[in-house]
Amino acid sequence: MSQLPTEPDLLLLLHDVARLLRLETDRRARLHGMNRAQWAMLIKLSRHPGLSQKDLAELLEVEPMSVARLTDRLAARNLVERRADPRDRRIWRLHLTEAAQPLLAEIETQRGAVAALIGNGIPPETMDTLVTGLLRIKATLLGAGRCGAATHDETGAADHGTMAGDAPSENTTADAEQEMV
């Protein structure tokens, strides 16, 4: 019979923390009659107004049909509107409505609360080291080309990762928290 490892398994720990973070975010979104995917969509549209449904699907790493359903639900709540693309009538551009602004403020409040929760008891210098390490892991995995998905920068442009030997990003804790939903 094999013994259980005496040291934490990094892969399982990362998986468990990500799962618990999703559960906490889902719980908070449900308090507002929404879900994490809807929150993510609102956040992405606040940062990149006028995205097409296809572009938003790529950013959210979901199928375009999922974005169409999310858009339908958010449009029914008067939070998102579809506008025809002036250059291509087949494309709908998504925009937040004025009614979405108070909800976005609440989402940011909740994101801050979750960030405070996960950082509770962790000294700032340790948190900075943790974020730097996680960014390095992300860059290495993207550089290895095994993830199969591009990330997107703040302009919405695809970033297919850095090479494994590249220097880690100089992102701060706040930058990393911006990606949390």
Side-chain angles (χ1 to χ4, degrees), residues 103-173:
L103 181 56
L104 279 170
E106 177 59 23
I107 290 170
E108 287 306 314
T109 298
Q110 292 300 320
R111 287 169 44 97
V114 171
L117 177 67
I118 65 174
N120 187 23
I122 299 175
E125 58 277 359
T126 302
M127 186 59 80
D128 288 343
T129 301
L130 175 62
V131 169
T132 300
L134 290 171
L135 288 169
R136 178 73 253 153
I137 290 169
K138 180 179 176 180
T140 299
L141 290 171
L142 288 170
R146 292 186 180 100
C147 291
T151 59
H152 295 82
D153 66 17
E154 287 301 308
T155 66
D159 172 10
H160 297 282
T162 57
M163 296 308 293
D166 290 348
S169 169
E170 293 297 321
N171 288 5
T172 64
T173 302

Side-chain angles (χ1 to χ4, degrees), residues 87-116:
R87 294 178 304 265
D88 188 341
R89 64 183 184 173
R90 298 169 295 174
I91 297 174
W92 291 101
R93 298 283 172 186
L94 302 176
H95 295 271
L96 296 178
T97 64
E98 194 61 35
Q101 298 311 311
L103 181 56
L104 279 170
E106 177 59 23
I107 290 170
E108 287 306 314
T109 298
Q110 292 300 320
R111 287 169 44 97
V114 171

Side-chain angles (χ1 to χ4, degrees), residues 4 15 28 35 52 55:
L4 294 175
H15 179 270
R28 289 170 185 263
N35 61 44
S52 70
D55 291 340

Side-chain angles (χ1 to χ4, degrees), residues 11-145:
L11 298 179
L12 288 176
L13 183 59
L14 287 171
H15 179 270
D16 287 345
V17 168
R19 180 181 55 81
L20 291 168
L21 182 58
R22 286 189 305 272
L23 288 171
E24 179 63 19
T25 305
D26 281 333
R27 184 186 70 76
R28 289 170 185 263
R30 276 192 309 275
L31 293 173
H32 298 280
M34 300 186 78
N35 61 44
R36 183 171 28 98
Q38 290 169 320
W39 276 18
M41 184 170 160
L42 292 173
I43 291 168
K44 292 295 185 187
L45 286 175
S46 72
R47 294 179 186 168
H48 312 290
L51 285 173
S52 70
Q53 291 183 177
K54 179 180 179 276
D55 291 340
L56 185 57
E58 288 178 19
L59 276 174
L60 295 174
E61 297 178 356
V62 298
E63 294 297 319
M65 186 49 104
S66 297
V67 170
R69 284 191 295 270
L70 286 168
T71 301
D72 290 343
R73 287 188 200 116
L74 293 173
R77 291 181 68 168
N78 192 35
L79 299 171
V80 172
E81 64 183 12
R82 292 177 172 101
R83 297 182 194 162
D85 184 296
R87 294 178 304 265
D88 188 341
R89 64 183 184 173
R90 298 169 295 174
I91 297 174
W92 291 101
R93 298 283 172 186
L94 302 176
H95 295 271
L96 296 178
T97 64
E98 194 61 35
Q101 298 311 311
L103 181 56
L104 279 170
E106 177 59 23
I107 290 170
E108 287 306 314
T109 298
Q110 292 300 320
R111 287 169 44 97
V114 171
L117 177 67
I118 65 174
N120 187 23
I122 299 175
E125 58 277 359
T126 302
M127 186 59 80
D128 288 343
T129 301
L130 175 62
V131 169
T132 300
L134 290 171
L135 288 169
R136 178 73 253 153
I137 290 169
K138 180 179 176 180
T140 299
L141 290 171
L142 288 170

